[in-house]
Amino acid sequence: MNDRSKHDHSGWEEVVLAARDRARSRQALMIERFGLSGDLQYHWSMDDAQITWSRDGKVFLTGRLTMIGSVSLAQQTWLWSWANKSLPRAVLGDIERVRQFGEESDYPVLPWPDFNYHPDLVAEARMVAASVLDAEGLWAESTDDVQLHFLVHDLALTTELR
């Protein structure tokens, strides 16, 4: 979709509101259910699309990651993971479905490979992606000049804590 002027604004706003409500409740449930607050550590990998959380050196939770996209703070741009050819295939998961949903619904932000960074628009895109891919939660990592945005799926307590 190359026509950046075409956009169903009212439909997009409805989808975003529903996705925001869903993401907030799922995020809160994920944090509460698995105790993801306080003194904990985590390790994640794009190569195998996995994330683990630990306390006192013991892993207690594992999950699968799907990279949504990244923000270049230096360039002030968002790049969808499906458009980033340098990413490992494993971390892309089903992100292509988000692009397809945008094309089918005339929501051009989703099938544009990139766009100028606007925090609210990135937040909306992340929440809609979470809804389309039925994610359990959202995860982000930041460095000085890049933000990486992920979805979290398939959370499971390790066998020691079940």
Side-chain angles (χ1 to χ4, degrees):
M1 176 181 290
N2 293 328
D3 182 4
R4 292 191 176 212
S5 63
K6 184 179 176 184
H7 183 64
D8 180 350
H9 291 287
S10 62
W12 175 250
E13 289 176 15
E14 289 175 19
V15 166
V16 167
L17 287 174
R20 181 178 292 136
D21 288 346
R22 184 177 187 277
R24 284 181 179 161
S25 65
R26 284 196 148 197
Q27 192 80 7
L29 180 62
M30 179 181 78
I31 291 167
E32 180 183 333
R33 179 176 176 209
F34 297 109
L36 297 178
S37 60
D39 186 25
L40 55 85
Q41 298 77 42
Y42 61 92
H43 172 78
W44 59 275
S45 167
M46 282 201 270
D47 291 331
D48 62 4
Q50 296 293 311
I51 186 166
T52 61
W53 286 270
S54 60
R55 225 178 237 113
D56 300 323
K58 295 179 184 151
V59 172
F60 68 91
L61 183 65
T62 63
R64 180 175 57 87
L65 294 174
T66 298
M67 186 166 181
I68 308 168
S70 58
V71 172
S72 167
L73 296 173
Q75 297 175 1
Q76 291 291 292
T77 56
W78 165 266
L79 176 64
W80 283 100
S81 63
W82 57 261
N84 188 339
K85 304 298 183 213
S86 68
L87 294 173
R89 175 70 195 116
V91 80
L92 297 177
D94 292 330
I95 195 67
E96 184 67 24
R97 286 181 33 215
V98 175
R99 184 193 62 74
Q100 291 168 347
F101 174 74
E103 285 181 350
E104 293 165 2
S105 305
D106 289 331
Y107 304 140
V109 165
L110 303 178
W112 292 340
D114 58 16
F115 53 87
N116 291 336
Y117 173 60
H118 299 284
D120 291 342
L121 189 55
V122 167
E124 291 173 355
R126 291 175 66 229
M127 287 183 267
V128 170
S131 181
V132 169
L133 296 182
D134 195 31
E136 291 183 64
L138 293 153
W139 191 264
E141 281 290 323
S142 295
T143 64
D144 290 338
D145 57 350
V146 177
Q147 296 174 348
L148 304 175
H149 297 274
F150 300 93
L151 300 174
V152 179
H153 313 270
D154 305 329
L155 289 172
L157 293 170
T158 61
T159 54
E160 302 92 48
L161 297 175
R162 284 190 191 159

